[in-house]
Amino acid sequence: MSVLSAEERDVVGTVRTFVDREVRPVVRELEHADTYPEALIARMKELGVFGLAVPEPWGEAPVSMPCYAMVTAELARGWMSLAGAMGGHTVVAKLLVAFGTPEQQDRWLPRMATGEVRATMALTEPGGGSDLQAMRTVARRDGDGYVVDGAKTWITNARRSQLIALLCKTDPTAQPRHRGVSVLLAEHGPGLSVSRDLPKLGYKGVESCELSFDGYRAPGDAVLGGVEGRGFAQMMTGLETGRIQVAARALGVGQAAFDDALRYAQERESFGRPIWQHQSVGNLLADMATSLTAARQLVLYAAERYETGQRCDMEAGMAKLFASETAMKVALDAIRVHGGHGYSTEFDVERYFRDAPLMIVGEGTNEIQRDVIARQLVARGGLE
Ligand SMILES: Cc1cc2nc3c(=O)[nH]c(=O)nc-3n(C[C@H](O)[C@H](O)[C@H](O)COP(=O)(O)OP(=O)(O)OC[C@H]3O[C@@H](n4cnc5c(N)ncnc54)[C@H](O)[C@@H]3O)c2cc1C
C-alpha cells in the first residue's frame, strides 16, 4: 500500500469500511437470491466509485491505477459481483478519455463519472471470444450512419448499461483483419435486443447477457475517436486496464477466503487445540498468505507500470494469470480448512470457490495470457 498517497489510502479505506459495514452483512442473502444489488450500487455511486477513471473537467480527480486496483480488490473482498459492476464501466471511461472525440467525451464522461450512465464493453461473440479478429458483427456504412448486424454474448451489465462499447468490423475485408475493426459507441434502441440472461455458476446478482443486433442503426459519429479501423488497438489498450482490474478482483476474492480461513482455524478446535496448530492446517494458511502476498505485488507492479505510461500487457497478463490461479487455489484450501462447513451455503467460502474461476476465464483466458506473456518475452528479449 506504500505506493498510494495518503489521500488514496483514505479512498481505499472508505471503500473497505463500506464493504465491512454494508456489503458483508447482506451479501449471502443477495447472492443466493441472485438479486441485483440496487442499494449497494447506489452507495457505490455516492462514494464516487464509477468516477474513479474520469478526470476533470468531466469528473473529479481520478485515482492512480494502483489505487484503482486496491479499490477493486476491496469491493471483491466483499462481493466479486460489485467489482464486476464497475470493471467494464471504468475500461470504457478510460477508452473515452484516451481516444474519444471532444464531443464524445463531453457527451458521455460527465454522466459516467457520477454513475448516472453505466457502460459495458461487448467483445465476445457466440462463435468465440479468444480470437477476436474472427468476429462476425459488422457495421456497414449506410447514408451518414451505420447499420449493425451480429451477436455478442456474455456481456456484463448489458441490460443496465446505457452505453455499450461495441467491438465490430467496419471493413470485413480489411487485411490484416484488425485494420477493419472499430469500437462503436452504441445505445439501446430499435434493432438491438438483449436476447437472454445467461445462467451462471457464480458472479450472481449482475446480469450477463446475449445481445442481438439486427439492422441496428448507429449515427456516423458513433465510432470511438471518429476514425474507423482503430478499434482493435484501442481495445487492446483498454484490456490492459481490464486485466489489472480482473487480477485485483481475484486478489479480493483470495483475500476474503484467506481471512475466513484464518479466523475459522483459530475458532475451531479438534484433538483439544485450535486447528491451526495442526501442522497441515498451519501449512495451508502459510501457503495461502504467501501466494496472496506475491499476487498483490504482481498486481501493484503491473498497475505502477501502467501509471508510468509504459507498455504493460505482459505485466497485466502475469498479474491476471497468477492472481486468478492463486484465488482458485486459496478458495479450495479455505474449503479444506472449513471442513464440512466449507461446503455449506451458510458460509461464504463456497461463494469464493464459485466466483474464482471467472477470473481464470474472463478478460482473456489464462491460456491467452500465457500466449501474450511468451510473445512479449521474445519481443523484449527476456525479462527486463
Ligand atoms: C461471467 C462472464 C462475464 C463476461 N463478461 C464479458 C463482457 O462483459 N464482455 C465481453 O466481451 N466478454 C465477456 N465475457 C467473455 C469472456 O471474455 C470470454 O468467455 C473469454 O474471453 C473466452 O472466450 P470463449 O468463452 O469464447 O472461449 P474460446 O475462445 O472458445 O476458448 C475455449 C478454450 O480454448 C482456449 N483457447 C482458445 N484459443 C487459444 C489459443 N490461441 N491458445 C491457447 N488456448 C486457446 C481457451 O483458453 C479456452 O480454454 C464474460 C464471460 C463470463 C463467463
Side-chain angles (χ1 to χ4, degrees):
M1 290 283 280
S2 58
V3 290
L4 305 191
S5 66
E7 209 174 308
E8 289 191 333
R9 284 202 295 275
D10 282 349
V11 172
V12 178
T14 303
V15 176
R16 182 178 305 132
T17 305
F18 161 67
V19 163
D20 286 332
R21 292 203 185 139
E22 299 175 56
V23 178
R24 290 193 63 92
V26 297
V27 56
R28 218 175 293 153
E29 197 182 328
L30 290 169
E31 166 81 14
H32 293 303
D34 199 3
T35 306
Y36 178 72
E38 194 86 56
L40 296 178
I41 296 284
R43 284 286 291 132
M44 283 163 62
K45 289 181 187 173
E46 284 168 21
L47 293 171
V49 166
F50 291 96
L52 289 176
V54 185
E56 288 175 332
W58 310 287
E60 293 174 18
V63 298
S64 68
M65 186 55 94
C67 178
Y68 169 72
M70 292 302 109
V71 166
T72 301
E74 280 301 326
L75 289 171
R77 186 176 63 80
W79 193 14
M80 197 275 287
S81 300
L82 295 182
M86 57 79 100
H89 176 90
T90 38
V91 172
V92 178
K94 278 184 178 283
L95 286 176
L96 278 161
V97 171
F99 306 114
T101 63
E103 294 73 29
Q104 290 168 344
Q105 292 170 332
D106 290 343
R107 172 150 190 231
W108 294 110
L109 287 172
R111 288 176 298 148
M112 284 177 71
T114 60
E116 179 195 337
V117 163
R118 305 255 310 277
T120 188
M121 45 182 194
L123 286 62
T124 308
E125 301 197 347
S130 300
D131 185 5
L132 285 175
Q133 295 189 45
M135 84 185 77
R136 296 218 178 127
T137 300
V138 174
R140 286 192 181 78
R141 271 267 173 207
D142 185 68
D144 54 4
Y146 294 92
V147 176
V148 185
D149 291 288
K152 294 283 173 183
T153 193
W154 283 117
I155 309 309
T156 302
N157 293 132
R159 277 186 195 284
R160 293 179 175 87
S161 293
Q162 295 92 324
L163 174 59
I164 300 165
L166 174 70
L167 198 70
C168 59
K169 287 205 168 154
T170 39
D171 181 0
T173 60
Q175 288 297 335
R177 294 180 297 174
H178 65 83
R179 292 228 177 103
V181 174
S182 301
V183 173
L184 219 61
L185 300 171
E187 298 171 70
H188 289 278
L192 163 55
S193 55
V194 180
S195 30
R196 198 158 78 100
D197 284 19
L198 297 158
K200 295 173 287 194
L201 175 67
Y203 202 19
K204 302 284 185 185
V206 294
E207 74 277 17
S208 304
C209 309
E210 277 182 2
L211 299 181
S212 166
F213 294 86
D214 185 8
Y216 170 81
R217 300 193 76 87
D221 61 3
V223 171
L224 179 66
V227 181
E228 291 178 14
R230 297 189 179 163
F232 195 77
Q234 291 167 340
M235 200 51 97
M236 288 303 113
T237 312
L239 286 183
E240 289 183 347
T241 302
R243 285 168 185 169
I244 292 172
Q245 211 266 352
V246 167
R249 275 197 238 174
L251 205 55
V253 171
Q255 181 74 48
F258 170 73
D259 291 346
D260 288 9
L262 183 64
R263 190 171 47 247
Y264 189 82
Q266 293 171 80
E267 289 164 5
R268 182 79 169 177
E269 292 190 356
S270 78
F271 298 91
R273 43 186 166 140
I275 58 170
W276 75 267
Q277 290 182 8
H278 301 301
Q279 198 174 34
S280 297
V281 177
N283 283 351
L284 283 177
L285 295 171
D287 287 348
M288 289 157 105
T290 305
S291 302
L292 278 171
T293 303
R296 176 175 295 265
Q297 295 309 312
L298 271 178
V299 172
L300 287 173
Y301 174 61
E304 281 171 44
R305 190 163 162 121
Y306 177 99
E307 199 58 26
T308 60
Q310 296 176 80
R311 180 172 185 154
C312 69
D313 53 351
M314 181 172 87
E315 291 75 10
M318 286 176 169
K320 193 262 191 199
L321 168 64
F322 189 78
S324 60
E325 298 292 346
T326 295
M328 191 69 251
K329 183 164 189 319
V330 168
L332 176 59
D333 288 347
I335 289 180
R336 290 185 215 275
V337 172
H338 280 74
H341 286 143
Y343 204 63
S344 164
T345 53
E346 290 177 349
F347 283 70
D348 289 316
V349 278
E350 61 84 30
R351 185 178 77 249
Y352 312 139
F353 183 73
R354 288 184 291 103
D355 277 347
L358 173 59
M359 275 71 74
I360 288 175
V361 167
E363 216 81 7
T365 64
N366 280 359
E367 291 71 39
I368 295 298
Q369 304 310 314
R370 287 188 172 95
D371 192 47
V372 170
I373 294 165
R375 281 171 196 274
Q376 278 299 298
L377 285 171
V378 171
R380 297 186 198 181
L383 275 175
E384 287 152 8

